[in-house]
Amino acid sequence: MCVLQMTQDICMIQEKITTPVGNKSEKLKRSVIDQKQVKELSITINVQRNVTLSAFLSRNHRIVFNIPKIGINITLPRNVMIMFKECIISCDKHQIFIIEGATIGSLPANKLQLERKGFETLVMPTNKAWKIEFDKIHAVFPYNYNFAECVQEVINTLKWIKLVHKVKKKPFTIDSPLPADLFINVKELLLQLSDDPFEVQLSDNYSLLADEQTETEKRLSALERKIEELRKSLGLLPANKVQELYDNLKEKSSLIYTHRHQQLYNNGPPRTKLFSWKMVNLEIVALADKSLHGKENVINHMREIDISSRYPSDGMDFITLWCRMINCSLEEWTIHLRDFPQAMLDVKDLHIWGRLIGAEQHAHPRAIRTCRIEVGDPWGDMIVERNMPPLKFYYDFESDVKQWTMCTGACWEQTLAQYNLAMTLINHPSKDPSPNLPFWDKIRLLLHGRLTMAMDKMCWMYHASLNPYNKTEMMDWQWTNLILDWTTAKFMFNGDLDIYARTASKYDDCNLLHLPKLRFCIKLEWLCEGDANNHHRVMPCASDKVPYKEDYDSYKDFRSQNMNMSMSFETKSSEANPNNVPYCVFYASTLRWLDKIKMCMTHVSRPTRRGSFFDKPRLPKLQLSRHFRNVNLSVNFHQFHAQYWMSFAKEHGVEMHRGELTFKSGHNLTLVKIEDGLIHRPQANWSIKNINLNLKGAKMWLCCKNETTGMEEKSYFLSVKHVQYDRDDNLMVESAEPQQQSDDREDVEKAFLHRVYIEDLKASWTTTNRNTVFSLFEGYNKAQALKRNLSSGALKGYKVDSQTQATPKSRSRSVSMSNPNSTAATPSPMSRMQSGHTQNLLKRLIQEMDSKSMAFTEEPTGSHEEQLHGVAACQTKDVIHNNLLVELKNSQVMLQGAHTKGYVIVCAAEAKVMSCIHKPVWQNRQLKSKTTWVSSVDCMQYFATVDNTDNVMWLEKELLDVDDKTDCNLGLDVLDGAVAEMAGSGHSVGGVVTARIPTPTPINIGRQEDQERSNQQTMQLQRMISRCKCQLFYASYGEVDPDATPQVTLDKIENDMLDFEEGVDSFTLLHHDLNVCTNPLQYAMILDIVNTLLLYVEPKKKQSTERLQSMRFKIQLFSEKDQKTPILQLQEDVRQMIVSLRRQERDLYLIQKEIDEEEDLTERYVSVQYKSRIEQVLNDCKEKLNQMNEELTIMINCYAQNQLEKMSQLKDSQSGETMVVRRNEVCFRSAQWKLTETDGQLGLADMVLRNFLYSKVNNNDDSGAHQLEVGWFKMTNLLPNSLYKDVLVPRDPLGKGHLDRQGALRIFSRDKAPVGGINVKEHFEVNVVPLTIQLTYKFFKTLEAFFFQKNENEEGSDAMPTKSKTRQGSIRKQTSANINTQQRGSEGSSDDVIKMRARAATNNTFIYIKIPEVPVKVSYKGEKEKNIVDITDFTFVLPTLEYHNQTWTWQDVLNAIKGESKKVIVSQAIKQKLHMKSRFYDEEVHLSSAQQEEDKAKMLLGAKLMAATEKPGNKKTLFGKSNK
């Protein structure tokens, strides 16, 4: 009270001195008197003692001001100056504020004139001003001190003083006294929050413990070296003496640790900082003006700034309202957490200016709360009223920043949680009983206006580690020349963006993404119950004036329920630098580094000091990442380049150049409650609403390093003209009726969830591209294998429980019964006879002589397409929704081999790939999901070069597009006549295409690949395969997801629902008519392509396969426990190797950093030498790690496979059933291959194939069946003046043209599960119809020259029969020879393992083999006019062959067939050559009844079986005479 009274007296004295006596007119006259006539009064007050001012706010709170020295200089009427060197402000005995070097005084009116000129809107050139300067202001808040209550007491006391002295608020008009300008200068401003002492000591103790562990290991290593030296010099040391040394070292280490812990804080006090805010050279200029003064002017400025908020039509009253022009600058601004080395915020050279308005709305009666003031005796307590609406700020700022750096990460979340708890004791939360507003709603409520910042450099860094002291592993978003514009619910960024990967390795400063001239915009839409921008209607409520108690919320209409966000990225080309385009560069290690970023971002933070133990309720805290509802993303790049490298050495990589890239996507977030009886926060489920991607003019190259020159080489790989991808979840509809689908096929295709459209695809597959792709794929597989092998679940899930109860036998029909064609085999003759064949059927078989030895398929199939399981499974009757549609328009793929010149282009006018989700089906008494894939390729063509050239000529669009007059299924143009075909034009096979306009491009493209050649060449391509159609069908079955699969109604079936089972994975390749034409060069080129590109197996993969097989056999010799122990040990060794590798990479990074900073040449040379040694060690460590990883992968795979086999065997033994798990089918309707001369015009031969079908069935017990059927085949001789035209043709046994239905060739094989790695053939059968072969020597030589080039080694071919003869030895000799070869090739391997491998690789166990006899009619014409080998209509019969329980190789099978057939053929050939009569081949010979019965038995039981029953005396000799 005394201080207040003294202040009022001083003001009265000043007013009396400065105010002249008289009325207003006299005052105006007096004001124009020259200033020199005014008398000045100077008062100087210096206090040399400590000045202490204490304010007792209440019983528990008081404030003490302690000023050691103070000086006051007053020069009336204008100048006032107050100075003191230090001021300490204590709150409740805690030193909170320390102020040093303070100067407070008035300034001349023209001192801030220059600053006022910088704002053109100001109308007053000058104004009175005050300056406030401080050398240092430190505010340190102790731990767990409630500073907010003390502040509240101060405010309440000021309110009480105004109440006692009846200070009333004056109207704020334009005539109100204009406040003075302010000039504030603070050289150092520090705000610090103190940390928990227990946390500090815990952290220090942990650091000491970690350091002591390192020092202990060093001491132990030194002791071991010393012991080794003593052993070398003195010999053996007593064991007790060595143990004593180790015990003494352990005791000494304990004493050292105890001493270090006691001396921990002797050198200085412990750390107390939790949060620090520091500003250096802060300067603030606040200017007042008539244009900014008065309520009306301020409100006009407010409405101009906050245009998005609707100002109330009835106006508003304000308790606090002011407007200033602000000009602020600072040299440095930093924010630190604890003692972490990386600053949370670091700003350099900030300058900000603009309008600033502060407004505090007049409270509604329910928004006025009462506070009690403890005045003391004799006055008692007093009640004051407080206004609850907050102070809002309206601003229109512009700013220049030299550098802005901020950092965050999951590793700091615990510290930030501690900071938030500390801030609740400094800034008192609202007294409103409503739930607290999240920080984003508080910003919406308190801050309004516009902020525009121009930054030379802005960096946002995110920690890629959970270590809070990390300073090297970071993701750095770096903006240069950035313009940031922040308005209401909108952020706009314009500048150059670079994203770097900061790692302590050679991959440091890897520029992941470069986006020049980027325009990045973020728009927010707050979803509220009311108007999201109408913050004027928000009115708090006092706790004692709440209208209703339950779920009251003063911010109900303003509080955001969710948020919609739209982000857009857009780049534009620069005229000054057109080569500065967006690009992306990353390595294989970068992908692993991004996994760490993902792991950190998805890290779940734990509650900090929450709960009843800390007297803090565990209120759920909202997260911004879970507040979204809809998120839309838009990307528009005018160009985009991307590069991927396997390693820093850049040995293999991919480079892609794209044209215009447009990407749009919409995402939705829903929070789903988890109802499992436990307390969970809702689960965040992100879903995709729609995606649209457009890519134009993309090109891709494969890059590799030349081993000779070390230079980078690029090879053309892929290019597309246009790629479009669309996804819309709204189009995911259920399938319609089959009739509706067939009528509205176009509408159904539009209803696909995913749609991909690719136009003008051009791909190149060469040996160079093959090697590069394999290297990239191998590196990716190694990284994934290492990640999988070291995971905690690498060996989980492979436990076999032999005590599992057997599953009851199913009542359902067998899968093989439902489809007899799956595993049906030809019954033996005895079984046929027992099944009861009629006499009429036997007579018919005897009458048809040509067919008596042929075994037909038991079930005539008709058309193969009708029985294809894949086609039947992909029907659209049970489709739930259409998932994916891929459309390709005018696609081309170029194939080039390694040993031949020229190339092949495979092209298609249209191609479609469709995927559908079907209703669940039953499989093995379980409900399985069903997914089908259907692919259709229309107008597919094959072109090949005519000449030996490597220049690539891509086909013109006219040759690929579908013509309305063209039938793609027929494979040729209907309008192409004979003239067009002879001329080699049109769409017929063999046609030649000549290049006119296109410029040939080399396959291997260098850095100038986009430059066109000036000299054009003429090239020719020949159509090898005319337009045809190919279809692929695939049906797969998996586990049913109850959340993703809608509720469907299963079809009604007659029997029990569990009796109906289907759901076998099926794949079908259906190729329609093929019309092929090739010359010898093209054939050799195709063989080269097939061997070097399609069937190529990488040598490393072969070695890995061999090692896998060796380990697979070796692991069978050990028990399960012995299998698992070495795997766990090797896992630990690999982990230690990775730790060592990362440490060496970090050391290499630090050494390189020292080399870059070192100026001394000698020290630099030493560092370089040390760096080379570390690089060598690093390379050796990588090689060893790869070897250990490969070995670990093989061991885990073998262990897992062994366990799964045991589980499968246990399951099969319990169920007792064999189920089909997969079917593969390949079908060709018709194929025609024409062989031509080198010029491609003159024909050599023509081969026709119809109704080709190959099917493979896999069962759940590793058994299966193979079946190959050919309906009809024919080979025609096209050589001029040939004696025979039909070279190879089957004979119709029935004479009615039923070959296509019955089949000309059938091969069937049913396999059992392998035993000990050896394949078991349960049934193997080959059926062939009677054949007619007509061959000439000229035709044979022509085909030999066609299929075997002239430069081939003839001696090698001559040696083949000799080699085959050696294969006729016994199986045991061959097996032993193979074992010896394997032993010589792999030294150090186990003999047992080698024997097992050799035996499994070379042998097969054949339980039953049957090849029925085949009649063959042969005609042959030799080289000369008359030859002894010439034969005409030579007919012989290949005998029926049967073998039982043989362990042979395939070569042994062929040798056995060859030997048996040779005996019969030789005897029949001699008979035919000597023209001996045989009743078997003479159709006019009358057969007796006994002979007819004998022929019937031979047909049914086999000639070999009947020969055993004949008497030896009745056999005839070679010349037909009896042996009697």
Side-chain angles (χ1 to χ4, degrees), residues 169 577 1159:
K169 180 178 177 59
N577 190 5
E1159 297 181 357

Side-chain angles (χ1 to χ4, degrees), residues 408-413 460 462-468 470 473-475 592-605:
T408 185
C411 57
W412 287 355
E413 290 185 358
W460 175 73
Y462 187 85
H463 284 276
S465 173
L466 296 180
N467 181 14
N470 166 61
E473 300 287 333
M474 294 184 180
M475 181 175 64
R592 297 191 295 269
W593 180 81
L594 291 176
D595 287 339
K596 295 174 60 177
I597 293 291
K598 179 182 177 181
M599 182 267 295
C600 294
M601 287 186 173
T602 56
H603 177 73
V604 179
S605 60

Side-chain angles (χ1 to χ4, degrees), residues 12-203:
M12 292 177 59
I13 295 173
Q14 181 181 5
E15 182 178 358
K16 290 181 179 180
I17 295 175
T18 56
T19 303
V21 181
N23 54 16
K24 292 184 179 181
S25 59
E26 293 179 351
K27 293 181 181 180
L28 293 175
K29 293 180 182 179
R30 187 64 179 175
S31 62
V32 298
I33 299 177
D34 187 63
Q35 298 295 334
K36 296 181 180 180
Q37 298 178 1
V38 178
K39 296 182 180 180
E40 294 182 355
L41 175 62
S42 178
I43 302 175
T44 302
I45 302 175
N46 291 323
V47 179
Q48 300 297 329
R49 297 288 183 179
N50 290 339
V51 177
T52 302
L53 300 177
S54 299
F56 293 89
L57 306 177
S58 63
R59 294 185 179 91
N60 300 324
H61 301 285
R62 71 171 183 171
I63 298 179
V64 178
F65 294 84
N66 188 6
I67 305 176
K69 295 182 181 180
I70 186 172
I72 302 175
N73 187 5
I74 302 176
T75 303
L76 298 178
R78 297 187 179 279
N79 296 332
V80 177
M81 186 70 63
I82 301 175
M83 296 179 296
F84 53 86
K85 292 184 178 182
E86 185 180 14
C87 176
I88 300 176
I89 303 176
S90 301
C91 298
D92 303 330
K93 300 182 180 180
H94 297 286
Q95 291 186 359
I96 305 297
F97 298 97
I98 300 177
I99 303 174
E100 296 181 358
T103 302
I104 303 174
S106 59
L107 287 176
N110 58 355
K111 189 67 176 180
L112 300 178
Q113 187 175 2
L114 184 62
E115 282 74 5
R116 299 183 69 90
K117 289 182 179 180
F119 299 98
E120 298 178 355
T121 58
L122 299 181
V123 297
M124 298 177 58
T126 60
N127 187 25
K128 57 184 178 181
W130 286 80
K131 73 172 181 178
I132 303 174
E133 295 180 347
F134 302 99
D135 291 342
K136 182 174 68 174
I137 298 179
H138 286 188
V140 181
F141 298 95
Y143 171 74
N144 209 23
Y145 170 65
N146 197 340
F147 177 75
E149 289 188 1
C150 185
V151 173
Q152 292 297 316
E153 293 290 346
V154 172
I155 298 175
N156 293 338
T157 303
L158 295 178
K159 292 284 186 180
W160 172 71
I161 293 176
K162 291 182 180 180
L163 180 64
V164 170
H165 293 274
K166 299 180 181 181
V167 178
K168 296 183 179 180
K169 180 178 177 59
K170 298 179 180 179
F172 182 49
T173 63
I174 193 172
D175 296 329
S176 300
L178 185 66
D181 298 340
L182 293 178
F183 175 80
I184 303 174
N185 185 8
V186 181
K187 294 183 179 179
E188 181 180 342
L189 175 62
L190 176 64
L191 174 64
Q192 179 176 317
L193 305 182
S194 298
D195 200 358
D196 185 0
F198 175 76
E199 295 283 347
V200 174
Q201 294 181 7
L202 192 65
S203 176

Side-chain angles (χ1 to χ4, degrees), residues 564-581:
N564 294 336
M565 182 174 67
S566 299
M567 296 187 296
S568 63
F569 297 82
E570 183 179 357
T571 61
K572 295 182 179 180
S573 59
S574 175
E575 298 179 356
N577 190 5
N579 295 327
N580 188 14
V581 297

Side-chain angles (χ1 to χ4, degrees), residues 864 1228-1230 1249-1253 1269-1272 1300:
H864 289 315
F1228 290 88
R1229 180 189 298 172
S1230 175
L1249 190 70
R1250 288 204 298 263
N1251 289 343
F1252 172 88
L1253 175 62
E1269 296 180 4
V1270 178
W1272 186 79
D1300 289 345

